[in-house]
Amino acid sequence: ENTEKYVTRYIQGVLLVLLDVTSVSLMMLCTRVLRSYRPIGDVLQMLGIIAQLEDMKLLSLLDENIWRCVFLACSACGGPFTRKVASVIYERMLAMHMNP
C-alpha cells in the first residue's frame, strides 16, 4: 500500500513537470510566431504538442493562459488554415468555460 502511494505521488510529480515543460514550450513557440513572418511551421509544432497531450488525456489540464497563447498565435499567423484552427480553439475555450 505504501508503494502504491509513492508511485501515485511520483507519477503526479512527473505529470506536473511534463505539463510545466509543455506549457513553457507552447509559450515560447507563441513568442516565435508573433515575431516571425508567416511562421506556419511553429503553429504546426504547437498543434502537434496539443495532439500529444490529447493522446495522453492531459489536454484538459492545460492552463487557460496557454490556450490564449495558442489562440493568439493561430490568429496572428493568418491564412485560411490557421483562421479555422483559431476558430476551433476559440470554441474549445468557450466549451471549457474559459475567457478567450
Side-chain angles (χ1 to χ4, degrees):
E1 189 170 302
N2 273 344
T3 305
E4 286 180 21
K5 287 181 182 178
Y6 172 76
V7 169
T8 301
R9 286 185 188 156
Y10 178 77
I11 291 172
Q12 286 175 344
V14 169
L15 289 178
L16 289 174
V17 169
L18 173 72
L19 284 172
D20 285 346
V21 168
T22 302
S23 296
V24 169
S25 297
L26 287 169
M27 289 177 70
M28 296 301 290
L29 283 168
C30 179
T31 303
R32 269 185 24 184
V33 166
L34 295 176
R35 291 182 173 209
S36 300
Y37 176 73
R38 309 283 291 163
I40 191 69
D42 293 332
V43 170
L44 292 175
Q45 189 174 355
M46 292 171 77
L47 296 177
I49 291 170
I50 289 173
Q52 288 177 347
L53 288 176
E54 186 177 30
D55 287 345
M56 292 187 282
K57 310 286 190 251
L58 298 175
L59 195 57
S60 63
L61 300 177
L62 263 184
D63 187 61
E64 186 173 344
N65 294 321
I66 302 304
W67 282 107
R68 280 193 200 104
C69 281
V70 175
F71 175 69
L72 181 64
C74 289
S75 300
C77 192
F81 171 72
T82 53
R83 280 195 296 267
K84 287 179 185 176
V85 171
S87 176
V88 169
I89 290 172
Y90 182 82
E91 294 298 324
R92 170 91 175 158
M93 289 176 73
L94 291 178
M96 292 188 297
H97 306 292
M98 293 181 180
N99 213 3

